Structures are given as C-alpha cells and as structure tokens.
Amino acid sequence: MQPKSNIVHLPVYQPGKPIEEVKRELGLTEVIKLASNENPFGCSEAAKQAIMNELANTSLYPDGAAVALTEALAGHLGVGKDQIIFGAGSDEVILMIARAFLVPGDETIMADETFPQYRHNVEIEGAKIIEVPLKDGRHDLPAMLEKVTDKTKIVWICNPNNPTGTIVTKDELDAFMAKVPAHVLVVLDEAYCEYIDDPAYPNGIEYVKRYPNVISLRTFSKIYGLASLRIGYGIGTPEIIRYINQVREPFNTTRYAQAAAKAALEDTAFIAECRRRNAEGLAYLKAEFDRLDLRYFEPYGNFVMFDTGIPSQKVFDALLRKGIISRARWTHYPTHIRITVGSAEQNRKFIEALEQVLQELAVQI
C-alpha cells in the first residue's frame, strides 16, 4: 500500500511534552508545563458545571450544527449565525479551509516562522507554499503582497504570530487589504486576540464585515481554558462559511465542548481576570529578561519568545531537568525559547530555573 506521495515527508506535529511523561522520565515530583500556551488559571466554573450537566447525554450525538452555541456566539460577536463555523480546535478549521479551497498548482503565502499547521495542510492538498521571512519577528505584509500572483489562493496571517508573539497593526493590515486582490482569501488567525488590549491591534471581525475575502479564526483553547475539549471557530461571509461547511465532518464538535464553550462565553468576569493576570505575568517576565540582558520579541498573547544566545535545545534540556517544560527547535531562531505565561508562582520558578541554567551552560561553553 502506498500513501499520497506528497505526505510521506511530512513531520508529525509535536506538542509540548506531557507533565506525566516528564515526571516519569526524570523522576521529578513537580513539573511546570509552559510549552503549549495553555491557560494556567484553568477554565470558568460555569464551563465545568455545563460539562457535568451534559454527562447524562453522553450516549447521544451532539448537535452537528451547534445551533445553541452558534446563536450565543453570533450575538456575542455581532455577526450573523450563517457566518460561523466550528471545528475541533481552530486547527481543524485551518484543515477545512485548505481542503475547501486548495488544489495542486495553487499558491499560498505565509510567514517563514509561524503556526506550522498552515504548511502542513497546504502540503497535504498539494498546493505550492510561498514563504516570506519575518522582519524583526513580525509579518512583512508588503513583502507578502509582492508575492501575490494570479495563482495565489490564500494568504495566512497569524496575529499575534505564533511563535514570536508579535502583531500586525491595524494600519499595516489596512494598507495590505487595500491592495490584496479580491480573489485571494486572507486568513486572520487570532487565537490569542482576547488577551490583547491595545488600540493598534486590529479586530478581524471588522475586516470580515468590510471585505468578502477575509476569514477570522478564533478558539476556546486559550484564554477560555478549554484546550482539552478541542473547539475553535471561523467567522467569514456566509458564502465562505458555506464552502467550508461542505467539507466539514458530521458531529465534529462534542456535546461537552459546545456546552462548555457557551457557558465560558457568558462568564466575562473570568476572561477579564485571566487577561489581567496574564498582563501582570508578561510585565514580570519582560522585566526579568531585561535584568538578565536577554532579548525578546514584544509579546501580545500569553507567551514570550526570547533569545538565550545558546542553542535552544541545550536550554530546553537543562530546563526540563529542573522540571520546566518550554518550547524550542525553531527553524529560523535556533537560539530562541518560547515560554507560556504561567501563574505568578510558575513564572517565578521558571526565572529561577532559567538563571541557573544559563549560568551552568555558560560555564560549559
């Protein structure tokens, strides 16, 4: 049996190492995972109760159209109910976009260091990838625009960008959208948008309302703390959403996910508190990186990417032995580590471990 020739070289996505595995491998009793940009403050108590309320319905299929959640989310965002599609995480929406729009010979444009699932799904569909280098860790929209041709189907913009944490500003996006051809679908991946309170940051939904060739991607995995339930969504014109719905698998989101997401959406106090505590964590980490004379990209989500000045795998391994799971191995940033903003205690323990690691590795060098 032979698979499709264009998938045999594809890497399998490598998530952050599980806490249980690190404890078992290294004989540790305490491990702090700061690798996957999860919410260290958990999820809303209302979401937990919603999950409990659904236990009696475990034997029943979920609502394939997610009607109740769609209605609640449409009201929350100020869009039509026919402008929303749900996926098992926003990464499934990425998969569906690629499946719905790309065929071999199409071209698609993305940054050279960004969320890897764009590349992964484009390659599965056999389309051609045009990568544009980041500029100081940020999307270079003018350079991306220059790469657009008659064959371009999709431009992917991760905002804030994962892994660097930088943003495309409203002015930059306005200038880009004013020139991008109408036949090009612009995907604004805004997985971390709820963390940002900066007037320079563009709201993708406003662009969906202004441009028929824009889709915004968001998720309940990050600030809402529902990562294990796998539920994300896209917002676009009814036409774009209809095309994507045609390739969506039936019952692709669970009863638990739909109920928890609806409850989480209504708990605005929890979201505000997570945003506040994340901002405090960012301020602390930036101050500590400054103290340690470590350069970093200006962060806007719930993570920071910083330059250790040492091959990142060495720093990753040394941190792991101290019970800190981070994220390393970036193609274009070989000495950088990405770290999730944790609780105040987790952030403090990470900085203590990092300082020790850098001193130990400096001696070895």
Side-chain angles (χ1 to χ4, degrees):
M1 295 176 64
Q2 295 296 320
K4 294 165 65 173
S5 61
N6 58 312
I7 73 159
V8 294
H9 68 287
L10 290 181
V12 176
Y13 181 79
Q14 296 295 323
K17 290 178 73 69
I19 292 174
E20 296 79 8
E21 180 182 335
V22 175
K23 285 182 176 179
R24 184 174 60 252
E25 286 182 357
L26 300 178
L28 299 171
T29 57
E30 181 185 15
V31 172
I32 299 171
K33 185 184 178 188
L34 301 176
S36 301
N37 302 343
E38 296 150 328
N39 189 340
F41 311 115
C43 69
S44 164
E45 291 298 320
K48 295 178 184 178
Q49 186 58 53
I51 295 169
M52 296 295 294
N53 294 344
E54 280 296 326
L55 288 176
N57 298 319
T58 298
S59 62
L60 304 177
Y61 281 114
D63 176 5
V67 171
L69 178 57
T70 298
E71 184 173 357
L73 185 60
H76 177 75
L77 298 176
V79 300
K81 291 181 286 186
D82 57 355
Q83 291 186 260
I84 297 172
I85 186 166
F86 290 99
S90 57
D91 47 358
E92 191 195 19
V93 185
I94 293 168
L95 179 154
M96 291 188 286
I97 291 171
R99 180 182 290 180
F101 289 99
L102 296 176
V103 298
D106 286 341
E107 295 180 357
T108 179
I109 300 169
M110 64 190 70
D112 66 345
E113 193 77 80
T114 190
F115 188 49
Q117 292 309 100
Y118 311 145
R119 165 179 277 279
H120 183 85
N121 285 291
V122 168
E123 292 200 38
I124 290 172
E125 302 305 326
K128 181 180 179 181
I129 297 168
I130 309 295
E131 287 189 334
V132 176
L134 294 174
K135 190 174 182 180
D136 299 323
R138 303 175 67 247
H139 280 73
D140 187 346
L141 293 190
M144 296 176 82
L145 190 63
E146 289 179 0
K147 297 295 184 180
V148 173
T149 71
D150 291 342
K151 295 182 179 180
T152 305
K153 274 284 189 73
I154 302 175
V155 175
W156 308 87
I157 301 174
C158 191
N159 200 29
N161 186 47
N162 181 7
T164 57
T166 57
I167 64 167
V168 166
T169 67
K170 185 178 184 299
D171 289 345
E172 290 168 335
L173 189 57
D174 285 343
F176 177 82
M177 289 305 306
K179 295 181 179 179
V180 72
H183 74 270
V184 176
L185 177 62
V186 177
V187 180
L188 300 177
D189 189 346
E190 304 176 300
Y192 303 91
C193 64
E194 293 90 357
Y195 284 107
I196 303 175
D197 186 19
D198 188 318
Y201 180 71
N203 180 352
I205 295 173
E206 296 303 316
Y207 291 82
V208 169
K209 294 177 179 179
R210 290 164 53 191
Y211 298 97
N213 59 328
V214 172
I215 182 167
S216 167
L217 307 185
R218 299 186 178 185
T219 184
F220 286 94
S221 295
K222 302 306 179 182
I223 202 169
Y224 289 97
L226 302 180
S228 69
L229 296 183
R230 310 307 302 121
I231 185 160
Y233 57 97
I235 314 108
T237 63
E239 182 180 31
I240 288 175
I241 297 304
R242 183 171 65 252
Y243 291 147
I244 300 171
N245 240 325
Q246 289 175 308
V247 301
R248 180 179 62 84
E249 299 294 335
F251 311 119
N252 64 323
T253 60
T254 68
R255 300 185 72 98
Y256 304 120
Q258 292 178 27
K262 183 174 181 294
L265 196 65
E266 296 165 357
D267 192 350
T268 56
F270 175 79
I271 299 305
E273 179 66 7
C274 289
R275 186 184 300 114
R276 183 189 67 80
R277 295 172 75 178
N278 182 75
E280 290 180 350
L282 279 177
Y284 169 79
L285 290 174
K286 289 166 60 178
E288 290 299 301
F289 290 148
D290 288 339
R291 179 180 65 83
L292 296 171
D293 198 26
L294 296 173
R295 297 181 62 187
Y296 55 88
F297 294 114
E298 187 63 30
Y300 286 86
N302 68 333
F303 57 95
V304 188
M305 190 176 188
F306 65 99
D307 190 354
T308 68
I310 301 169
S312 61
Q313 191 62 44
K314 290 185 177 182
V315 180
F316 172 88
D317 291 338
L319 283 171
L320 198 64
R321 290 192 292 270
K322 295 184 182 297
I324 305 291
I325 309 174
S326 60
R327 199 63 180 264
R329 299 189 304 274
W330 309 106
T331 301
H332 300 281
Y333 298 95
T335 59
H336 284 65
I337 292 283
R338 191 195 70 193
I339 199 78
T340 305
V341 179
S343 66
E345 182 181 7
Q346 289 173 333
N347 294 335
R348 179 182 57 78
K349 289 183 176 180
F350 158 66
I351 291 296
E352 289 177 356
L354 176 65
E355 195 163 8
Q356 293 171 12
V357 163
L358 294 178
Q359 289 172 354
E360 292 167 2
L361 293 176
V363 170
Q364 295 177 17
I365 295 174

